[in-house]
């Protein structure tokens, strides 16, 4: 009898039983008994599925998912979320399928578990790609249900708490991923408490010596600061009492990882970080927050430019508070944060507040709406990302925003990360606006597209139907959405351009052979695709447009009796002499050579650059003479009569080396509706300066007019156009 009772005691003392009891107690505090029973049933199912499995710590594997469920229960996660937490590893680590879970519980639980499950058979080339693909899948699942990320963050937290048994290299990899992805996600969703725990655990595991040294130094410094903190805290409380305002005052301790980051990035010592004394004041309502701010400004002088109102303009993750830096006693700076109790709860729980406090008020819905808006942007980005690693790069850009707030002409507020430009703003308004953006006005003044935005600016984007994204934009955009949209447009635009150019080139060659593309039978085209080993006619046209296949050779093959036979070219063959008409605005597959800079009105010649399309040269360019000798790689081209745009041309000017000479040249060029793009001094002595000037012109007539006007200037000795 004694042995049986002893066995029962030992059985109850198993770690998993203790954890289950703790989970049941927590759930009973906010769920009805039927839902608690559902969660217990999920535990029993998971315990059987994970039977015989153990963690590296030695405990039964079921302890891990139950610990994850406890974290979520403390956030008052609903029953389906708790069940998904308990079962989150069964698809990945056991024989249980998603279909079985849906049958045993419900489809929602099965979807949540599947969203958290890693991809086990990705076939990736590297560990980085595997991780990236997992994160990408998780975000797709998050788009359907935000509880996926709640479970994943709780899962990551418990894994970080039990890292001790892992090999050192794996520890560092997990910690790096936590700091790069999961802690910033928690921050982006306003879950500051979760973020601080993840950062603290990662810092301690990645840099144990730095953590130990910093921890010891902070504890030592804390004792010396206590008297000053008490003095300031009492002063604040007394002043609030005198003003008849109610507010709880608390000194705020910076966590070790925040201190470490500040020391690292600002290259300052611990004493400099600890020079700032931080306090939080909690109020009952927003009105009191602003009144408390006024009292604080009367108590201690505010430092100009160090005030931020996140109540009127919340951060993207929903964070709200008033921040001010004041000059306190003994000349010490004081950081004050003023917020309501509700704002503080939201700042700690973030998106979790939707479940934790939704019974008390509906304001938590705003947090969920913001999170969903962010996720929608991310899902749009992932659709256009080339691969999972590109998606992760875009995600990291989006996870570390330091916001600026700007306005549309109608007064709507747009939040963008620090360093964002006009292009980022245009894409934030709408992808189509970004794609068609040509210029903009800030506070009614025209500005370049690369202008960086500052708080309070009002931006008006000027768009044009003919406009398209410029590859150069990628060098200065700051947001993931803009970067992804530009890349996606250029990728597909170049493909479409190449197909259209390939069609034009093939039609030109067929017309010279007295036939038309439309008259070629579909069967003949299929035979051609088989011979050329092309999956579709569009792919063949794209290859022609990119210069990988010669159009007149394809045309000859199409028209000869035996499509499989070698192509025979007659000595007198003139098919490729039919000129291709260009406008100069075709874009990325017809390029104007930089060596001779041809402009409308010039005699020109084009040659195929494999993979890139056609490069157009001036007939007198030295490079064109070399290319012309290669019979199969060049073609005659000519300017269209309606060619329009701004084309670069280069002038070599010898001028008297005297004060203001270059300014006179620039002024004259500007008067004739041209812009100078670049000026290079080639040679200079006390009397003469030889300069190369790159300027934009409409055509040969416009350039000739500019050159005539410059020749009339007394300071100009000689002027010639550079044609390589």
């Amino acid at each position: 009898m004694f042995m049986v009772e002893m066995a029962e005691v030992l059985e109850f003392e198993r770690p998993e039983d203790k954890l289950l009891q703790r989970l049941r107690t927590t759930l009973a505090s906010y769920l009805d008994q039927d839902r608690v029973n559902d969660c217990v049933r999920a535990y029993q199912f998971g315990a059987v599925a994970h039977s015989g499995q153990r963690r590296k710590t030695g405990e039964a594997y079921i302890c891990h998912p139950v610990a994850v469920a406890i974290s979520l229960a403390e956030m008052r996660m609903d029953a389906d979320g708790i069940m998904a937490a308990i079962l989150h590893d069964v698809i990945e680590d056991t024989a249980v399928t998603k279909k079985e879970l849906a049958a045993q519980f419900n489809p929602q639980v099965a979807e949540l578990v599947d969203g958290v499950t890693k991809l086990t058979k990705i076939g990736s080339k590297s560990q980085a790609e595997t991780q990236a693909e997992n994160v990408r899948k998780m975000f797709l699942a998050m788009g359907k249900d935000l509880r996926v990320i709640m479970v994943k963050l709780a899962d990551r937290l418990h894994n970080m708490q039990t890292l001790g048994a892992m090999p050192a290299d794996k520890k560092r990899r997990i910690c790096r991923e936590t700091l790069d992805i999961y802690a910033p996600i928690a921050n982006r969703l306003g879950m500051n408490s979760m973020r601080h725990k993840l950062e603290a655990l990662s810092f301690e595991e990645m840099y144990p010596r730095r953590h130990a040294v910093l921890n010891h130094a902070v504890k030592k410094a804390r004792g010396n600061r206590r008297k000053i903190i008490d003095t300031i805290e009492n002063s604040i409380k007394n002043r609030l009492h005198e003003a008849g305002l109610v507010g709880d005052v608390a000194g705020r301790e910076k966590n070790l990882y925040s201190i470490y980051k500040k020391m690292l990035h600002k290259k300052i010592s611990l004493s400099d970080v600890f020079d700032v004394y931080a306090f939080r004041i909690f109020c009952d309502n927003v009105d009191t927050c602003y009144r408390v701010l006024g009292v604080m400004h009367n108590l201690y002088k505010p430092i100009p430019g160090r005030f931020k109102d996140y109540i009127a303009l919340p951060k993207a993750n929903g964070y709200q508070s008033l921040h001010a830096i004041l000059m306190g006693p003994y000349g010490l700076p004081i950081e004050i944060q003023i917020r309501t109790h509700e704002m503080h709860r939201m700042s700690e729980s973030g998106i979790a507040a939707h479940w934790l406090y939704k019974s008390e008020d509906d304001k938590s819905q705003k947090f969920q709406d913001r999170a969903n808006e962010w996720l929608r942007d991310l899902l749009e980005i992932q659709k256009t990302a080339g691969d999972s690693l590109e998606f992760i790069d875009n995600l990291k850009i989006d996870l570390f925003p330091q916001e600026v707030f700007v306005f549309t002409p109608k007064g709507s507020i747009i939040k963008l990360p620090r360093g964002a430009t006009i292009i980022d703003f245009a894409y934030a308004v709408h992808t189509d606006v970004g794609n068609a953006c040509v210029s903009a006005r800030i506070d009614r003044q025209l500005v370049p597209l690369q202008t960086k935005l500052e708080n309070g600016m009002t931006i008006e984007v000027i768009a044009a139907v003919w406009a398209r994204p410029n590859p150069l934009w990628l060098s200065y955009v700051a947001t993931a959405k803009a970067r992804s949209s530009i890349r996606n447009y250029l990728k597909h635009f170049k493909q479409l351009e190449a197909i259209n150019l390939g069609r034009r080139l093939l039609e030109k060659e067929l017309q010279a052979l007295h036939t038309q593309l439309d008259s070629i039978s579909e069967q003949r085209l299929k035979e051609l695709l088989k011979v050329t080993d092309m999956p579709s006619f569009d792919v063949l046209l794209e290859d022609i447009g990119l210069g990988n296949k010669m159009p007149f050779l394809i045309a000859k093959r199409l028209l000869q009796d035996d499509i499989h036979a070698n192509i025979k070219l007659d000595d007198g063959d003139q098919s490729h002499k039919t000129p291709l008409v260009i406008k100069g605005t075709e874009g990325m597959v017809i390029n104007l050579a930089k060596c001779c800079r041809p402009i409308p009105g010039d005699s020109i010649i084009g040659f195929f650059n494999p993979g890139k399309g056609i490069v157009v040269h001036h007939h007198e360019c030295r490079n064109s003479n070399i290319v012309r000798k290669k019979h199969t790689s060049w073609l005659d081209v000519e300017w269209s009569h309606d060619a329009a745009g701004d084309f670069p041309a280069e002038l070599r000017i010898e001028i008297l080396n005297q004060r203001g000479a270059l300014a006179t040249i620039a002024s004259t060029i500007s008067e004739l509706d041209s812009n100078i793009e670049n000026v290079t001094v080639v040679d200079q002595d006390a009397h003469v300066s030889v300069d190369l000037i790159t300027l934009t012109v409409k055509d040969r007539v416009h350039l000739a007019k500019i050159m005539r006007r410059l020749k009339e200037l007394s300071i100009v000795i000689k002027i010639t156009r550079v044609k390589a």
Side-chain angles (χ1 to χ4, degrees):
M1 181 69 178
F2 175 78
M3 291 298 292
V4 173
E5 289 175 355
M6 191 66 184
E8 287 176 355
V9 171
L10 289 172
E11 182 73 14
F12 182 75
E13 287 181 345
R14 292 184 312 171
E16 55 265 44
D17 292 327
K18 286 185 175 181
L19 287 168
L20 176 60
Q21 188 59 36
R22 182 177 160 194
L23 177 62
R24 292 177 73 161
T25 303
T26 308
L27 292 175
S29 67
Y30 69 95
L31 290 179
D32 60 52
Q33 192 56 47
D34 287 344
R35 298 305 276 157
V36 174
N37 292 340
D38 287 339
C39 295
V40 173
R41 188 162 60 85
Y43 165 80
Q44 292 164 345
F45 183 91
V48 172
H50 288 296
S51 179
Q53 295 179 352
R54 298 208 165 262
R55 303 195 83 210
K56 290 188 182 294
T57 55
E59 64 188 8
Y61 193 90
I62 192 64
C63 292
H64 164 64
V66 178
V68 171
I70 288 171
S71 289
L72 294 173
E74 288 170 351
M75 297 181 189
R76 295 195 177 192
M77 175 62 75
D78 65 346
D80 284 349
I82 297 296
M83 287 191 282
I86 295 170
L87 301 167
H88 78 265
D89 277 333
V90 294
I91 293 179
E92 182 181 351
D93 294 336
T94 75
V96 176
T97 64
K98 179 180 175 183
K99 193 173 180 181
E100 284 179 68
L101 281 183
Q104 281 285 335
F105 300 97
N106 62 58
Q108 198 173 32
V109 171
E111 285 292 339
L112 286 171
V113 173
D114 185 57
V116 182
T117 302
K118 292 176 185 166
L119 301 176
T120 52
K121 296 179 182 177
I122 301 173
S124 299
K125 298 176 183 176
S126 67
Q127 178 70 37
E129 285 178 297
T130 304
Q131 288 178 318
E133 201 60 46
N134 285 330
V135 174
R136 188 174 186 170
K137 185 196 175 193
M138 182 180 70
F139 271 90
L140 283 170
M142 278 171 64
K144 297 177 184 176
D145 196 323
L146 272 168
R147 286 173 295 183
V148 168
I149 194 58
M150 303 282 292
V151 175
K152 189 62 187 174
L153 288 173
D155 173 44
R156 179 51 61 113
L157 178 61
H158 189 251
N159 283 335
M160 293 300 300
Q161 290 166 338
T162 54
L163 269 185
M166 292 280 184
D169 60 331
K170 193 169 184 180
K171 276 187 190 179
R172 290 187 67 83
R173 179 176 60 77
I174 292 171
C175 290
R176 174 49 57 201
E177 186 183 54
T178 302
L179 288 175
D180 284 351
I181 302 293
Y182 291 100
I185 287 174
N187 179 50
R188 198 67 172 73
L189 297 175
M191 300 170 68
N192 285 319
S193 180
M194 177 70 75
R195 167 197 155 204
H196 290 319
K197 289 175 185 175
L198 290 172
E199 287 178 343
L201 290 165
S202 299
F203 178 43
E204 186 172 3
E205 287 291 349
M206 276 193 78
Y207 306 110
R209 285 183 60 81
R210 297 181 196 184
H211 181 275
V213 169
L214 196 56
N215 190 35
H216 176 73
V218 166
K219 284 181 178 177
K220 187 176 177 183
R222 190 180 291 144
N224 300 331
R225 291 159 49 89
R226 190 69 256 171
K227 186 177 179 182
I228 297 174
I229 290 172
D230 289 344
T231 301
I232 297 171
E233 193 172 315
N234 288 331
S235 297
I236 293 173
K237 286 179 178 177
N238 291 337
R239 186 56 66 94
L240 289 177
H241 180 71
E242 290 171 10
L245 297 174
V246 178
D248 296 328
V249 183
R252 186 172 70 88
E253 280 289 335
K254 280 188 178 290
N255 62 65
L256 288 183
Y257 184 65
S258 294
I259 293 171
Y260 173 70
K261 276 202 305 184
K262 199 164 188 178
M263 291 171 64
L264 199 64
H265 296 315
K266 294 196 174 183
K267 295 181 173 57
I268 56 177
S269 66
L270 177 65
S271 59
D272 291 327
V273 178
F274 259 51
D275 267 355
V276 179
Y277 290 79
F279 296 87
R280 281 186 180 139
I281 304 174
F282 305 104
C283 307
D284 292 331
N285 54 60
V286 172
D287 181 59
T288 305
C289 289
Y290 285 102
R291 292 173 66 193
V292 167
L293 177 67
V295 170
M296 290 302 98
H297 281 183
N298 282 326
L299 177 61
Y300 300 121
K301 295 298 180 189
I303 297 176
R306 303 300 302 275
F307 168 68
K308 290 179 181 175
D309 187 346
Y310 292 122
I311 291 180
L313 296 171
K315 288 187 178 182
N317 62 8
Y319 175 87
Q320 287 184 290
S321 188
L322 298 175
H323 287 202
I325 305 290
L326 314 174
M327 189 56 69
Y330 321 112
L332 296 170
I334 301 172
E335 182 185 346
I336 300 283
Q337 294 181 0
I338 308 168
R339 62 182 71 157
T340 65
H341 295 287
E342 178 195 345
M343 288 172 189
H344 183 62
R345 289 201 307 266
M346 295 292 186
S347 77
E348 293 300 298
S349 303
I351 190 62
H354 178 67
W355 290 276
L356 186 52
Y357 301 113
K358 65 181 178 181
S359 59
E360 297 174 20
D361 57 61
D362 295 326
K363 289 188 178 179
S364 59
Q365 185 62 43
K366 292 180 182 178
F367 289 80
Q368 180 138 11
D369 292 343
R370 286 193 186 98
N372 283 325
E373 184 182 344
W374 173 58
L375 283 173
R376 278 195 298 272
D377 286 344
L378 280 183
L379 293 177
E380 185 180 332
I381 289 165
Q382 79 84 28
K383 286 176 189 173
T384 58
D387 54 36
S388 52
L389 290 175
E390 183 182 324
F391 172 68
I392 288 295
D393 286 341
N394 289 331
L395 175 64
K396 286 181 180 179
I397 291 169
D398 220 55
L399 284 176
F400 296 95
Q402 289 192 347
E403 294 120 341
V404 293
F405 297 88
V406 292
F407 297 90
T408 66
K410 293 184 178 179
S412 299
I413 298 174
I414 301 284
K415 297 176 189 175
L416 292 165
R418 182 72 58 185
T421 63
I422 299 290
I423 301 295
D424 294 296
F425 173 84
Y427 278 104
V429 172
H430 197 279
T431 303
D432 291 342
V433 175
N435 288 340
C437 179
V438 290
S439 61
R441 293 187 182 93
I442 290 181
D443 301 329
R444 301 185 180 181
Q445 297 293 318
L446 280 171
V447 294
L449 291 177
Q450 62 265 42
T451 302
K452 290 188 177 180
L453 306 179
E454 298 291 339
N455 279 318
M457 288 178 169
T458 298
I459 296 109
E460 178 190 353
V461 174
I462 300 169
V465 178
W466 50 264
R468 61 174 180 266
N470 187 325
L472 290 175
W473 290 358
L474 291 170
S475 63
Y476 53 77
V477 293
T479 59
K481 182 178 181 182
R483 188 176 302 278
S484 176
S485 298
I486 295 164
R487 281 177 177 164
N488 183 54
Y489 185 95
L490 293 176
K491 182 169 60 180
H492 290 93
F493 183 75
K494 183 176 181 180
Q495 183 183 37
L496 188 62
E497 269 197 336
I499 291 171
N500 290 337
L501 176 61
R503 185 179 295 276
R504 286 174 61 195
L505 290 169
L506 185 57
E507 285 176 341
K508 177 181 77 71
E509 299 300 339
L510 288 171
Q511 284 170 6
L513 295 170
H514 312 294
T515 190
Q516 292 183 339
L517 184 58
D518 292 342
S519 66
I520 306 292
S521 70
E522 192 172 333
Q523 182 59 35
R524 189 68 170 174
L525 291 176
K526 285 181 179 177
E527 290 175 5
L528 175 68
L529 294 178
K530 194 171 181 180
V531 171
T532 55
D533 194 27
M534 288 288 164
S536 70
F537 192 54
D538 275 352
V539 174
L540 175 61
L541 293 177
E542 183 183 352
D543 236 25
I544 294 172
L546 291 174
N548 296 326
K549 285 186 168 48
M550 296 298 103
F552 63 91
L553 296 179
I554 296 294
K556 292 286 285 186
R557 186 179 287 280
L558 263 176
L559 297 180
Q560 64 188 21
D561 293 335
D562 183 2
I563 201 166
H564 297 275
N566 291 330
I567 299 167
K568 296 178 181 178
L569 293 175
D570 299 328
D571 290 339
D573 188 286
Q574 295 294 312
S575 66
H576 63 282
K577 294 296 182 181
T578 307
L580 175 73
V581 177
I582 66 168
K583 293 184 178 182
T585 55
E586 283 80 359
M588 294 159 56
V589 290
I590 297 183
N591 304 286
L592 303 180
K594 292 183 179 178
C595 52
C596 54
R597 301 189 184 278
I599 59 176
D602 287 338
S603 296
I604 50 177
I605 187 170
F607 75 90
F608 291 98
N609 187 351
K612 295 183 179 178
I614 296 172
V615 180
V616 178
H617 285 261
H618 196 290
H619 248 295
E620 297 175 14
C621 176
R622 288 193 300 270
N623 292 331
S624 71
N625 293 327
I626 298 169
V627 174
R628 212 177 313 206
K629 294 174 184 176
K630 300 178 182 178
H631 178 73
T632 59
S633 66
W634 66 275
L635 75 162
D636 277 327
V637 291
E638 64 181 29
W639 290 103
S640 166
H641 294 299
D642 59 350
D646 290 322
F647 299 87
E650 195 166 46
L651 297 178
R652 185 180 187 274
I653 305 182
E654 294 181 25
I655 58 175
L656 295 175
N657 189 7
Q658 61 187 45
R659 187 186 297 275
L662 197 56
T664 303
I665 298 287
S667 175
T668 304
I669 290 172
S670 178
E671 286 172 8
L672 294 171
D673 194 25
S674 175
N675 288 320
I676 294 178
E677 289 190 345
N678 189 46
V679 177
T680 304
V681 178
V682 178
D683 192 16
Q684 193 175 56
D685 58 28
H687 305 290
V688 177
S689 176
V690 181
D691 301 340
L692 286 179
I693 298 179
T694 306
L695 67 162
T696 58
V697 296
K698 307 294 182 187
D699 49 31
R700 274 175 65 92
V701 175
H702 187 199
L703 179 62
K705 185 177 179 182
I706 293 171
M707 291 177 69
R708 276 198 306 273
R709 180 71 67 84
L710 291 174
K711 282 179 182 177
E712 293 170 2
L713 298 176
S714 60
I715 57 172
V716 175
I717 302 169
K718 185 178 180 182
I719 180 170
T720 55
R721 181 183 172 192
V722 178
K723 301 176 188 173

